[in-house]
Amino acid sequence: MSEVLNVEEIFGENVFTLGTMRERLPKKVFQEVTRVMDQGGELSLEAADVVAKAMKDWAVEKGATHYTHWFQPLTGITAEKHDSFVSHPDKDGKMLMEFSGKELIKGEPDASSFPSGGLRATFEARGYTAWDITSPAFIKEAATGPILCIPTAFCSYTGEALDKKTPLLRSMEAVSEQALRIVRLFGNTEATKVTASVGPEQEYFLVDQKKALQREDIIFAGRTLFGAPAPKGQELEDHYFGVIRERIGGYMKDLNKELWKLGVTAKTQHNEVAPAQHELAPIYETANIAVDHNQIVMETMKRVAGQHGMRCLLHEKPFAGVNGSGKHNNWSITTDNGVNLLDPGDTPNENIQFLLVLACIMKAVDTHADLLRQSASDVGNDHRLGANEAPPAIISMFLGEQLEDVVKQLVETGTATSCKEGGILATGVSTLPDFKKDATDRNRTSPFAFTGNKFEFRMVGSEDSIASPNTTLNAIVAEAFCEAADELEKAEDFDAAVHNLIKRYMTEHQRIIFNGNGYSDEWVVEAERRGLPNIKSMVEAVETLTTEKSIKLFEKFGIFTKAELESREEVLYETYAKTINIEALTMIDMASKQIVPAVISYTKSLADTINAVKAAGADASVQVQQLKAISEKLAQMQSALEALKKADAEGSAMSEGKEQAFFYKDVVKEAMAALREPADELEMMVDKKVWPFPTYADLIFEV
């Protein structure tokens, strides 16, 4: 009989929650902690000492001997340095376990060893981690034993942000401050802050660990760099929402258990479109905690997969020919007195506050479409965006029939007097109920779609942190709210002014709305006619960070300084070049040491067979034809291999930066594709028994 999980009992058991703090902290200290969490400010050192002791005692009771300041550097993953609670022995030689408020609040990792984009010289090592009091500490259970993880921000000695969290927290404060100005205009005096909430859907692949470890490309690049398509792919659409296999189900059960213990609200699980592809989705959370939890989700997915003899692939495109993986970023903003600013209500045409918020978001997305595109850019995502499996690389907004009609009325007449209703869905079966359907269908091809009371930013890559997209979203919306509030707060006739502003914003930025098929060639032509940017790759998107427009936006709200933006630009160029370089070297290694020798060995055995057939006086024409075709393809592959070696050597010799990144995109990446083509064709021609590593059929159909 399988284990029975009591979710209510285990949920959050490894999290230092508010409830745990309420139980363990003196009332006065607990009140100070919650005040700082809600209103900002600094915790007194006296209170920090009390919190630190309570946190340490709780962690030790759970078996922890070490703690870590858990942070998110510009590598895109998390980082941790473990320190034990062990202190100096007392005079009797008894070991003491201590943890001070100072240790809780501040840590000091080596800042020179992480990407900094020139913000830190290699000989200047000091950096600081600062406790993020708004994100709860948690216990991570691993082979090292239980570790107390304290979410922190990571900054350089000179104060610049070297991480993903610090700009996100700054952007959350910015959008809260500006959104409060909007709700105040409509008479909401009770709200004290507005919170950006996020629910990131996480797609992933599972493959057998033993088979994965036989492929250097999966080991070093996280994806397959060679591979002919299996006889069956996703064309029957039978994997999507299909019955979950027993082995996968066991994995999902254990994954849920581990995530629930860590306070992650894992809710939905199902098979995705591609064979061996799956999805997990949580419930909405504050953006900051959602970012932390998504990193926990990805780490836990990999760890639990190993326990089940599998490997979790989070790369955006681990297999050619089938859908890759994304991470739909569902974003909304809500006041602390319970008002979702993206809830249109039953009659959105009459909901002036909602229409103003919508108009501001239209303006934000249109004005900063390039930045939004950049925020979803990473090396792996280049394989998805613009293909017919993910949103196009062109940013547009989907509003649906109901809101599109409201916008049209406002643009044309200045007022919206009607609102389309959803109607009744009749199933035509007497035993099934008829029910009221939504007024708007959904559009899976839209990169930024309104879905009832939130926007779904569908472009984010599966392996990427959601910190950057949400930092950008918060920033561009804060700017639009600020500019609207600046105008409306001075208006003598507010009602007239807000109606005029809504009409103007929607008129000026209606080009960003597109409800049609984003996969179509016609949309590319239409988007160009509208003047919308079509940024096709990560390296082409990087420079949008340091335009005059972007610098003005981020500096205005204190989210990034110009130096911080320039550093991120440099880090992204370096990351792109280094990633493609690793992939190229992996291809060279696999081709030189595995594929070419295997094919040569096979041609030798084929030649021996031809001689034996001829000696027997039989017809060897088929074998001769096969040997000729394989030899020609092998020669083509060898030529492509030499070309890739030359291209990669040239790229490696270049100075790091924009020019090198573009060289890897335009030259090395093309050389990689030229090598893969004959190699994959050879896989289809050579005896499977001699092929040097597991094929697509082995990997995605035998899990």
Side-chain angles (χ1 to χ4, degrees), residues 581 584-585 587-588 592 637-654 660 663-664 667-672 675:
N581 179 45
L585 291 174
M587 288 190 81
I588 290 168
S592 302
M637 181 182 170
Q638 184 63 37
S639 175
L641 175 59
E642 295 305 319
L644 177 57
K645 288 179 180 178
K646 180 180 178 182
D648 187 68
E650 186 177 346
S652 298
M654 297 174 69
Q660 185 191 47
F663 182 86
Y664 270 96
V667 179
V668 177
K669 203 173 177 184
E670 291 300 312
M672 290 166 62
L675 173 59

mmCIF file of all heavy atoms in Angstrom, residues 581 584-585 587-588 592 637-654 660 663-664 667-672 675:
data_model
loop_
_atom_site.group_PDB
_atom_site.id
_atom_site.type_symbol
_atom_site.label_atom_id
_atom_site.label_comp_id
_atom_site.label_asym_id
_atom_site.label_seq_id
_atom_site.Cartn_x
_atom_site.Cartn_y
_atom_site.Cartn_z
ATOM 1 N N ASN A 581 30.235 28.294 -26.749
ATOM 2 C CA ASN A 581 31.570 27.707 -26.808
ATOM 3 C C ASN A 581 31.584 26.309 -26.175
ATOM 4 O O ASN A 581 32.151 25.363 -26.736
ATOM 5 C CB ASN A 581 32.564 28.620 -26.087
ATOM 6 C CG ASN A 581 33.975 28.058 -26.094
ATOM 7 O OD1 ASN A 581 34.469 27.582 -27.100
ATOM 8 N ND2 ASN A 581 34.626 28.099 -24.934
ATOM 9 N N ALA A 584 29.852 23.963 -28.510
ATOM 10 C CA ALA A 584 30.684 23.655 -29.679
ATOM 11 C C ALA A 584 31.781 22.655 -29.320
ATOM 12 O O ALA A 584 32.033 21.685 -30.055
ATOM 13 C CB ALA A 584 31.298 24.940 -30.235
ATOM 14 N N LEU A 585 32.445 22.883 -28.184
ATOM 15 C CA LEU A 585 33.501 21.968 -27.762
ATOM 16 C C LEU A 585 32.946 20.571 -27.462
ATOM 17 O O LEU A 585 33.605 19.558 -27.725
ATOM 18 C CB LEU A 585 34.210 22.526 -26.520
ATOM 19 C CG LEU A 585 35.059 23.787 -26.743
ATOM 20 C CD1 LEU A 585 35.585 24.317 -25.423
ATOM 21 C CD2 LEU A 585 36.209 23.505 -27.711
ATOM 22 N N MET A 587 30.303 19.240 -28.942
ATOM 23 C CA MET A 587 30.044 18.630 -30.247
ATOM 24 C C MET A 587 31.327 18.105 -30.874
ATOM 25 O O MET A 587 31.360 16.998 -31.430
ATOM 26 C CB MET A 587 29.380 19.649 -31.185
ATOM 27 C CG MET A 587 27.947 19.978 -30.860
ATOM 28 S SD MET A 587 27.149 20.960 -32.151
ATOM 29 C CE MET A 587 26.721 19.677 -33.338
ATOM 30 N N ILE A 588 32.370 18.901 -30.780
ATOM 31 C CA ILE A 588 33.665 18.484 -31.345
ATOM 32 C C ILE A 588 34.145 17.205 -30.668
ATOM 33 O O ILE A 588 34.618 16.264 -31.325
ATOM 34 C CB ILE A 588 34.703 19.622 -31.188
ATOM 35 C CG1 ILE A 588 34.347 20.798 -32.112
ATOM 36 C CG2 ILE A 588 36.116 19.116 -31.467
ATOM 37 C CD1 ILE A 588 35.125 22.068 -31.829
ATOM 38 N N SER A 592 34.396 13.746 -32.686
ATOM 39 C CA SER A 592 35.756 13.238 -32.897
ATOM 40 C C SER A 592 35.999 11.900 -32.218
ATOM 41 O O SER A 592 36.659 11.013 -32.786
ATOM 42 C CB SER A 592 36.785 14.251 -32.376
ATOM 43 O OG SER A 592 36.638 15.501 -33.013
ATOM 44 N N MET A 637 30.638 15.125 -42.903
ATOM 45 C CA MET A 637 30.692 15.390 -41.459
ATOM 46 C C MET A 637 32.094 15.796 -41.023
ATOM 47 O O MET A 637 32.267 16.719 -40.218
ATOM 48 C CB MET A 637 30.238 14.144 -40.692
ATOM 49 C CG MET A 637 30.245 14.350 -39.181
ATOM 50 S SD MET A 637 29.773 12.873 -38.280
ATOM 51 C CE MET A 637 30.206 13.410 -36.607
ATOM 52 N N GLN A 638 33.117 15.111 -41.544
ATOM 53 C CA GLN A 638 34.494 15.436 -41.174
ATOM 54 C C GLN A 638 34.846 16.851 -41.601
ATOM 55 O O GLN A 638 35.504 17.595 -40.866
ATOM 56 C CB GLN A 638 35.463 14.437 -41.817
ATOM 57 C CG GLN A 638 36.918 14.632 -41.424
ATOM 58 C CD GLN A 638 37.164 14.418 -39.940
ATOM 59 O OE1 GLN A 638 36.546 13.548 -39.331
ATOM 60 N NE2 GLN A 638 38.056 15.203 -39.359
ATOM 61 N N SER A 639 34.385 17.235 -42.772
ATOM 62 C CA SER A 639 34.628 18.597 -43.252
ATOM 63 C C SER A 639 33.956 19.619 -42.344
ATOM 64 O O SER A 639 34.544 20.654 -41.993
ATOM 65 C CB SER A 639 34.113 18.730 -44.690
ATOM 66 O OG SER A 639 34.240 20.055 -45.141
ATOM 67 N N ALA A 640 32.706 19.324 -41.945
ATOM 68 C CA ALA A 640 31.975 20.228 -41.049
ATOM 69 C C ALA A 640 32.634 20.281 -39.675
ATOM 70 O O ALA A 640 32.656 21.342 -39.026
ATOM 71 C CB ALA A 640 30.522 19.768 -40.926
ATOM 72 N N LEU A 641 33.180 19.158 -39.247
ATOM 73 C CA LEU A 641 33.872 19.109 -37.963
ATOM 74 C C LEU A 641 35.101 20.009 -37.972
ATOM 75 O O LEU A 641 35.341 20.769 -37.018
ATOM 76 C CB LEU A 641 34.266 17.663 -37.648
ATOM 77 C CG LEU A 641 35.106 17.422 -36.391
ATOM 78 C CD1 LEU A 641 34.385 17.918 -35.145
ATOM 79 C CD2 LEU A 641 35.446 15.933 -36.260
ATOM 80 N N GLU A 642 35.878 19.954 -39.021
ATOM 81 C CA GLU A 642 37.064 20.807 -39.119
ATOM 82 C C GLU A 642 36.670 22.281 -39.171
ATOM 83 O O GLU A 642 37.336 23.141 -38.585
ATOM 84 C CB GLU A 642 37.880 20.429 -40.354
ATOM 85 C CG GLU A 642 38.470 19.025 -40.305
ATOM 86 C CD GLU A 642 39.314 18.799 -39.066
ATOM 87 O OE1 GLU A 642 40.076 19.718 -38.689
ATOM 88 O OE2 GLU A 642 39.221 17.702 -38.472
ATOM 89 N N ALA A 643 35.568 22.574 -39.863
ATOM 90 C CA ALA A 643 35.090 23.958 -39.958
ATOM 91 C C ALA A 643 34.659 24.478 -38.587
ATOM 92 O O ALA A 643 34.917 25.635 -38.229
ATOM 93 C CB ALA A 643 33.929 24.047 -40.949
ATOM 94 N N LEU A 644 34.004 23.620 -37.796
ATOM 95 C CA LEU A 644 33.583 24.034 -36.448
ATOM 96 C C LEU A 644 34.794 24.255 -35.553
ATOM 97 O O LEU A 644 34.836 25.220 -34.779
ATOM 98 C CB LEU A 644 32.655 22.980 -35.836
ATOM 99 C CG LEU A 644 32.195 23.256 -34.398
ATOM 100 C CD1 LEU A 644 31.484 24.599 -34.295
ATOM 101 C CD2 LEU A 644 31.297 22.136 -33.891
ATOM 102 N N LYS A 645 35.786 23.383 -35.649
ATOM 103 C CA LYS A 645 37.007 23.563 -34.857
ATOM 104 C C LYS A 645 37.645 24.922 -35.149
ATOM 105 O O LYS A 645 38.049 25.651 -34.235
ATOM 106 C CB LYS A 645 38.014 22.451 -35.164
ATOM 107 C CG LYS A 645 37.647 21.082 -34.623
ATOM 108 C CD LYS A 645 38.714 20.061 -35.027
ATOM 109 C CE LYS A 645 38.408 18.670 -34.516
ATOM 110 N NZ LYS A 645 39.419 17.677 -34.964
ATOM 111 N N LYS A 646 37.721 25.241 -36.423
ATOM 112 C CA LYS A 646 38.334 26.510 -36.825
ATOM 113 C C LYS A 646 37.525 27.699 -36.331
ATOM 114 O O LYS A 646 38.074 28.671 -35.803
ATOM 115 C CB LYS A 646 38.453 26.546 -38.352
ATOM 116 C CG LYS A 646 39.086 27.818 -38.889
ATOM 117 C CD LYS A 646 39.170 27.800 -40.417
ATOM 118 C CE LYS A 646 39.757 29.107 -40.934
ATOM 119 N NZ LYS A 646 39.803 29.133 -42.425
ATOM 120 N N ALA A 647 36.189 27.623 -36.491
ATOM 121 C CA ALA A 647 35.322 28.729 -36.079
ATOM 122 C C ALA A 647 35.388 28.933 -34.573
ATOM 123 O O ALA A 647 35.477 30.076 -34.082
ATOM 124 C CB ALA A 647 33.886 28.462 -36.520
ATOM 125 N N ASP A 648 35.345 27.841 -33.811
ATOM 126 C CA ASP A 648 35.361 27.976 -32.356
ATOM 127 C C ASP A 648 36.704 28.508 -31.872
ATOM 128 O O ASP A 648 36.751 29.314 -30.933
ATOM 129 C CB ASP A 648 35.063 26.628 -31.697
ATOM 130 C CG ASP A 648 34.900 26.764 -30.200
ATOM 131 O OD1 ASP A 648 33.899 27.377 -29.767
ATOM 132 O OD2 ASP A 648 35.781 26.289 -29.452
ATOM 133 N N ALA A 649 37.780 28.081 -32.504
ATOM 134 C CA ALA A 649 39.098 28.595 -32.122
ATOM 135 C C ALA A 649 39.183 30.096 -32.374
ATOM 136 O O ALA A 649 39.741 30.847 -31.564
ATOM 137 C CB ALA A 649 40.187 27.862 -32.906
ATOM 138 N N GLU A 650 38.609 30.530 -33.481
ATOM 139 C CA GLU A 650 38.604 31.963 -33.796
ATOM 140 C C GLU A 650 37.776 32.730 -32.781
ATOM 141 O O GLU A 650 38.169 33.803 -32.315
ATOM 142 C CB GLU A 650 38.045 32.177 -35.208
ATOM 143 C CG GLU A 650 38.140 33.617 -35.684
ATOM 144 C CD GLU A 650 37.649 33.788 -37.115
ATOM 145 O OE1 GLU A 650 37.487 32.765 -37.825
ATOM 146 O OE2 GLU A 650 37.414 34.948 -37.517
ATOM 147 N N GLY A 651 36.612 32.174 -32.424
ATOM 148 C CA GLY A 651 35.762 32.837 -31.434
ATOM 149 C C GLY A 651 36.412 32.899 -30.067
ATOM 150 O O GLY A 651 36.332 33.920 -29.376
ATOM 151 N N SER A 652 37.076 31.838 -29.662
ATOM 152 C CA SER A 652 37.721 31.785 -28.348
ATOM 153 C C SER A 652 38.855 32.792 -28.240
ATOM 154 O O SER A 652 39.160 33.275 -27.144
ATOM 155 C CB SER A 652 38.259 30.373 -28.083
ATOM 156 O OG SER A 652 37.214 29.437 -28.059
ATOM 157 N N ALA A 653 39.486 33.108 -29.373
ATOM 158 C CA ALA A 653 40.621 34.033 -29.362
ATOM 159 C C ALA A 653 40.182 35.495 -29.301
ATOM 160 O O ALA A 653 41.011 36.378 -29.056
ATOM 161 C CB ALA A 653 41.480 33.810 -30.613
ATOM 162 N N MET A 654 38.896 35.754 -29.500
ATOM 163 C CA MET A 654 38.401 37.133 -29.507
ATOM 164 C C MET A 654 38.252 37.666 -28.089
ATOM 165 O O MET A 654 38.100 36.904 -27.133
ATOM 166 C CB MET A 654 37.042 37.197 -30.224
ATOM 167 C CG MET A 654 37.092 36.804 -31.690
ATOM 168 S SD MET A 654 35.442 36.719 -32.453
ATOM 169 C CE MET A 654 34.994 38.458 -32.453
ATOM 170 N N GLN A 660 32.264 39.293 -29.789
ATOM 171 C CA GLN A 660 32.451 37.851 -29.635
ATOM 172 C C GLN A 660 31.109 37.127 -29.576
ATOM 173 O O GLN A 660 30.917 36.071 -30.190
ATOM 174 C CB GLN A 660 33.251 37.545 -28.371
ATOM 175 C CG GLN A 660 33.582 36.061 -28.218
ATOM 176 C CD GLN A 660 34.130 35.722 -26.851
ATOM 177 O OE1 GLN A 660 33.582 36.147 -25.837
ATOM 178 N NE2 GLN A 660 35.223 34.963 -26.813
ATOM 179 N N PHE A 663 29.675 36.846 -32.943
ATOM 180 C CA PHE A 663 30.433 35.877 -33.732
ATOM 181 C C PHE A 663 29.958 34.457 -33.421
ATOM 182 O O PHE A 663 29.785 33.633 -34.329
ATOM 183 C CB PHE A 663 31.934 36.011 -33.446
ATOM 184 C CG PHE A 663 32.785 35.080 -34.266
ATOM 185 C CD1 PHE A 663 33.199 35.436 -35.539
ATOM 186 C CD2 PHE A 663 33.158 33.835 -33.773
ATOM 187 C CE1 PHE A 663 33.981 34.568 -36.307
ATOM 188 C CE2 PHE A 663 33.934 32.960 -34.519
ATOM 189 C CZ PHE A 663 34.341 33.333 -35.793
ATOM 190 N N TYR A 664 29.760 34.190 -32.160
ATOM 191 C CA TYR A 664 29.274 32.857 -31.791
ATOM 192 C C TYR A 664 27.864 32.608 -32.330
ATOM 193 O O TYR A 664 27.541 31.481 -32.715
ATOM 194 C CB TYR A 664 29.323 32.674 -30.269
ATOM 195 C CG TYR A 664 30.645 32.108 -29.812
ATOM 196 C CD1 TYR A 664 31.665 32.938 -29.360
ATOM 197 C CD2 TYR A 664 30.889 30.741 -29.861
ATOM 198 C CE1 TYR A 664 32.891 32.423 -28.962
ATOM 199 C CE2 TYR A 664 32.115 30.210 -29.472
ATOM 200 C CZ TYR A 664 33.109 31.054 -29.024
ATOM 201 O OH TYR A 664 34.332 30.533 -28.652
ATOM 202 N N VAL A 667 28.425 32.758 -36.596
ATOM 203 C CA VAL A 667 29.416 31.879 -37.229
ATOM 204 C C VAL A 667 29.472 30.502 -36.551
ATOM 205 O O VAL A 667 29.257 29.469 -37.195
ATOM 206 C CB VAL A 667 30.816 32.535 -37.228
ATOM 207 C CG1 VAL A 667 31.838 31.605 -37.867
ATOM 208 C CG2 VAL A 667 30.770 33.874 -37.960
ATOM 209 N N VAL A 668 29.753 30.489 -35.261
ATOM 210 C CA VAL A 668 29.939 29.212 -34.563
ATOM 211 C C VAL A 668 28.636 28.423 -34.511
ATOM 212 O O VAL A 668 28.621 27.207 -34.765
ATOM 213 C CB VAL A 668 30.496 29.446 -33.142
ATOM 214 C CG1 VAL A 668 30.627 28.113 -32.398
ATOM 215 C CG2 VAL A 668 31.844 30.157 -33.209
ATOM 216 N N LYS A 669 27.553 29.084 -34.204
ATOM 217 C CA LYS A 669 26.270 28.378 -34.116
ATOM 218 C C LYS A 669 25.885 27.787 -35.471
ATOM 219 O O LYS A 669 25.343 26.674 -35.547
ATOM 220 C CB LYS A 669 25.188 29.350 -33.625
ATOM 221 C CG LYS A 669 23.996 28.670 -32.989
ATOM 222 C CD LYS A 669 23.062 29.707 -32.372
ATOM 223 C CE LYS A 669 21.829 29.034 -31.808
ATOM 224 N NZ LYS A 669 20.858 30.022 -31.296
ATOM 225 N N GLU A 670 26.161 28.507 -36.537
ATOM 226 C CA GLU A 670 25.875 27.983 -37.880
ATOM 227 C C GLU A 670 26.769 26.783 -38.199
ATOM 228 O O GLU A 670 26.337 25.810 -38.825
ATOM 229 C CB GLU A 670 26.084 29.094 -38.921
ATOM 230 C CG GLU A 670 25.046 30.211 -38.854
ATOM 231 C CD GLU A 670 23.639 29.698 -39.072
ATOM 232 O OE1 GLU A 670 23.422 28.925 -40.037
ATOM 233 O OE2 GLU A 670 22.743 30.045 -38.275
ATOM 234 N N ALA A 671 28.016 26.847 -37.757
ATOM 235 C CA ALA A 671 28.933 25.718 -37.969
ATOM 236 C C ALA A 671 28.480 24.490 -37.176
ATOM 237 O O ALA A 671 28.630 23.349 -37.631
ATOM 238 C CB ALA A 671 30.354 26.109 -37.565
ATOM 239 N N MET A 672 27.906 24.716 -36.008
ATOM 240 C CA MET A 672 27.364 23.613 -35.211
ATOM 241 C C MET A 672 26.205 22.941 -35.939
ATOM 242 O O MET A 672 26.097 21.713 -35.973
ATOM 243 C CB MET A 672 26.904 24.125 -33.848
ATOM 244 C CG MET A 672 28.040 24.551 -32.927
ATOM 245 S SD MET A 672 27.473 25.514 -31.490
ATOM 246 C CE MET A 672 26.426 24.325 -30.666
ATOM 247 N N LEU A 675 27.430 20.753 -38.717
ATOM 248 C CA LEU A 675 27.979 19.483 -38.257
ATOM 249 C C LEU A 675 26.867 18.517 -37.852
ATOM 250 O O LEU A 675 26.933 17.315 -38.128
ATOM 251 C CB LEU A 675 28.925 19.718 -37.076
ATOM 252 C CG LEU A 675 29.463 18.467 -36.374
ATOM 253 C CD1 LEU A 675 30.238 17.580 -37.348
ATOM 254 C CD2 LEU A 675 30.344 18.854 -35.187
#
